[in-house]
Amino acid sequence: MTLADWLQRHGVSQAELARRCGVSQQAMSRWVKGERIPRPAQMTVLARATSGAVGPADFFSAESTRQGFAETQAPFATEARALGLDPDAIAAKAVQDAIRAEKQRRWQEDNRAAMDAQNAWVEKHGLPLAKHRMF
């Protein structure tokens, strides 16, 4: 069942479902229109909010009319090449940067408790060996 079908069938507004899922109304609107796909954690929350009626399979169905990345980016690639740019290299770099940023975000999230504990210790006791620092 599509998200739009579920909303209509249950008489729930996008704003209400967005509130239940803890996302912005804009994000919900993009999910309903098929412009964006929820992240795995968001899909779990969405499935729970819809009592399992809308799940990951509903966003990846074969009959989806959503255009793929290549189709939506083709005009930009042509223009970039006309300007002497390498769109493939630019896209590869952007993907690498996004992966690096996401790994960093996840590492910080996973280690937040340890970093907070270390910072609290330093605030309470001061920097170790601070008396030996030359600056």
Side-chain angles (χ1 to χ4, degrees), residues 74-112:
F76 299 113
T78 303
E79 186 175 0
R81 284 189 184 95
L83 294 169
L85 300 172
D86 183 356
D88 297 322
I90 293 168
K93 176 73 170 126
V95 169
Q96 289 172 350
D97 290 347
I99 290 169
R100 186 177 299 112
E102 181 61 15
K103 283 182 175 181
Q104 180 180 10
R105 186 195 66 76
R106 289 181 184 196
W107 184 90
Q108 288 175 338
E109 184 178 300
D110 291 345
N111 293 284
R112 172 101 29 237

Side-chain angles (χ1 to χ4, degrees), residues 13-96:
S13 70
Q14 288 183 19
E16 173 59 22
L17 187 57
R19 187 191 62 73
R20 291 180 194 175
C21 293
V23 298
S24 69
Q25 186 173 351
Q26 183 179 19
M28 184 61 64
S29 175
R30 288 179 175 160
W31 296 351
V32 170
K33 293 176 187 175
E35 295 173 357
R36 297 269 198 261
I37 297 173
R39 291 188 212 130
Q42 294 169 326
M43 282 193 188
T44 302
V45 172
L46 183 60
R48 196 174 315 131
T50 60
S51 301
V54 179
D58 299 307
F59 289 94
F60 297 107
S61 63
E63 60 273 353
S64 175
T65 59
R66 186 173 177 265
Q67 286 187 323
F69 179 78
E71 292 86 2
T72 60
Q73 300 306 308
F76 299 113
T78 303
E79 186 175 0
R81 284 189 184 95
L83 294 169
L85 300 172
D86 183 356
D88 297 322
I90 293 168
K93 176 73 170 126
V95 169
Q96 289 172 350

Side-chain angles (χ1 to χ4, degrees), residues 111-127:
N111 293 284
R112 172 101 29 237
M115 290 185 292
D116 290 344
Q118 175 67 21
N119 289 337
W121 189 92
V122 169
E123 283 184 31
K124 183 176 181 181
H125 301 287
L127 286 173

